Amino acid sequence: MIKDIPIASLAFFASFLSVLLAGPKVIAFMHRLKYGQTINSYLEESHKAKQGTPTMGGILFLIGVAVSLIVSIVCVPAVRATGMLDILVLALVFVLHMAIGFTDDYLSIKRGKNLGLKAREKLVAQIVIAFSFAFYIFANSPADGPREMMIGPDHVLRMPQMLYAFLVGILMISMSNFTNLTDGLDGLASGLGLLVVTGLAAYASYMHPEVALFGWALAGSLVGFLVYNGNPAKIFMGDTGSLALGSTFTAMAILARSELVFLAFSLVFIAEGLSVVLQVASFKTTGKRIFLMSPLHHHFEKLGWTESRIVLRFWIAGIISLWLGMLLEQRF
């Protein structure tokens, strides 16, 4: 069975070691190409020293996940025997969002300013992918009857399938952007992402082992990436990585029927995203700001917190969110 610990370990460590070994070469390559991050002029003075740090580090996620899945498929007959449609769907969501982020990062670098794809261009691409995935879920649901969302092992929430498909699309778009907004401090998004994907992979291992396999592969990539992304970061994931994380987490949660658990796991990402939504809404309607700066991690920077302190506190909040999700799903 794919859910066996040896297979999960193979997927995790194959990915981790791939990223660990590829990291220095990718960082050196980005330096040679001068693919460095352009720092927003509105950020704290401490961020100015990061100007030119290589970006597009999300490429390392792709390397790790690809190597891990190939090794698992080649070495473990059980993976090939169970069918790999869910893995293929996850890979498509992952790669297509990574392509959007890569294009955005590339244009920002070439223009020499933190301005890549226009917001509407990026949003249109996200809508197409998200609602294509939602259509796939709708097309593979029972022909009649409501869609059921699991709430713990013994309870379900029922809703019309069309409504569910619409919410799936909205959730994927939202979480893709929320993880993107969270990626503003060294190790912040990658550490929080590791907590979310670990929770999802553990949940999926019970009934959806193919989803779990992809999750362990992505978890290994995130651990390897943290070696180079921790403060002071040698490379940033960029939109190449951050847009792909939230969308892939969403796809995993939908395929594994763990929607509400996923929302609990992702509370810190959600808080970061909503802080921007609330800030913009408040300023446009009242002319006043709720936070000193958004996303939320920049508010704490303005209060004088150090970057390491903010990241650690947010990681702690992420761990608490993970446990809340575990409590919600009583099988843990």
Side-chain angles (χ1 to χ4, degrees), residues 11-13 15-16 19 61 179 182 187-203 212 214-227 229 237 241-242 245-246 249 252 262 265-266 268-269 311 314-315 318-319 321-323 326:
F12 178 89
F13 283 107
S15 182
F16 167 69
V19 172
F61 301 162
T179 52
T182 304
L188 179 58
S190 47
L192 291 170
L194 175 60
L195 293 171
V196 173
V197 77
T198 299
L200 287 171
Y203 180 99
F214 194 97
W216 292 126
L218 185 52
S221 293
L222 283 165
V223 174
F225 183 72
L226 268 170
V227 174
N229 186 235
M237 70 172 69
S242 59
L245 286 183
F249 296 160
M252 287 179 62
F262 167 57
F265 290 162
S266 304
V268 180
F269 283 128
V311 172
F314 276 50
W315 281 0
I319 293 170
S321 299
L322 181 63
W323 276 102
M326 291 178 175

Side-chain angles (χ1 to χ4, degrees), residues 280-310:
V280 172
S282 176
F283 187 75
K284 285 186 176 295
T285 56
T286 68
K288 298 180 180 179
R289 292 180 173 87
I290 300 173
F291 306 100
L292 296 176
M293 187 175 180
S294 64
L296 191 58
H297 56 265
H298 289 318
H299 172 78
F300 289 102
E301 278 195 300
K302 293 293 185 182
L303 289 176
W305 289 28
T306 64
E307 182 171 351
S308 296
R309 183 186 180 192
I310 296 168

Side-chain angles (χ1 to χ4, degrees), residues 221-257:
S221 293
L222 283 165
V223 174
F225 183 72
L226 268 170
V227 174
Y228 305 108
N229 186 235
N231 187 274
K234 297 180 177 64
I235 190 169
F236 301 139
M237 70 172 69
D239 284 8
T240 305
S242 59
L243 286 175
L245 286 183
S247 56
T248 304
F249 296 160
T250 304
M252 287 179 62
I254 300 304
L255 292 172
R257 306 292 299 277

Side-chain angles (χ1 to χ4, degrees), residues 58-193:
I59 291 172
L60 288 169
F61 301 162
L62 181 60
I63 293 172
V65 170
V67 170
S68 177
L69 293 180
I70 290 170
V71 168
S72 299
I73 291 169
V74 171
C75 296
V76 184
V79 176
R80 300 191 297 273
T82 55
M84 297 181 290
L85 182 58
D86 283 353
I87 292 177
L88 177 60
V89 170
L90 287 169
L92 281 172
V93 170
F94 180 64
V95 171
L96 290 174
H97 279 88
M98 188 167 284
I100 299 172
F102 181 88
T103 304
D104 191 39
D105 288 335
Y106 179 79
L107 291 175
S108 293
I109 292 166
K110 287 302 180 183
R111 292 168 179 168
K113 57 180 71 173
N114 198 15
L115 183 63
L117 288 171
K118 294 179 181 178
R120 64 175 177 273
E121 294 172 336
K122 190 186 301 185
L123 183 60
V124 167
Q126 289 176 300
I127 288 172
V128 170
I129 300 169
F131 282 98
S132 295
F133 175 78
F135 177 77
Y136 167 79
I137 295 298
F138 176 77
N140 287 275
S141 296
D144 55 358
R147 174 76 182 201
E148 296 181 346
M149 290 175 57
M150 300 303 296
I151 308 176
D154 302 316
H155 303 87
V156 296
L157 174 64
R158 293 178 174 85
M159 66 179 67
Q161 289 187 39
M162 285 296 292
L163 174 60
Y164 178 81
F166 175 76
L167 292 177
V168 165
I170 296 299
L171 180 62
M172 180 171 286
I173 295 166
S174 299
M175 291 309 302
S176 178
N177 286 300
F178 287 0
T179 52
N180 178 232
L181 291 168
T182 304
D183 183 34
L185 300 178
D186 295 353
L188 179 58
S190 47
L192 291 170

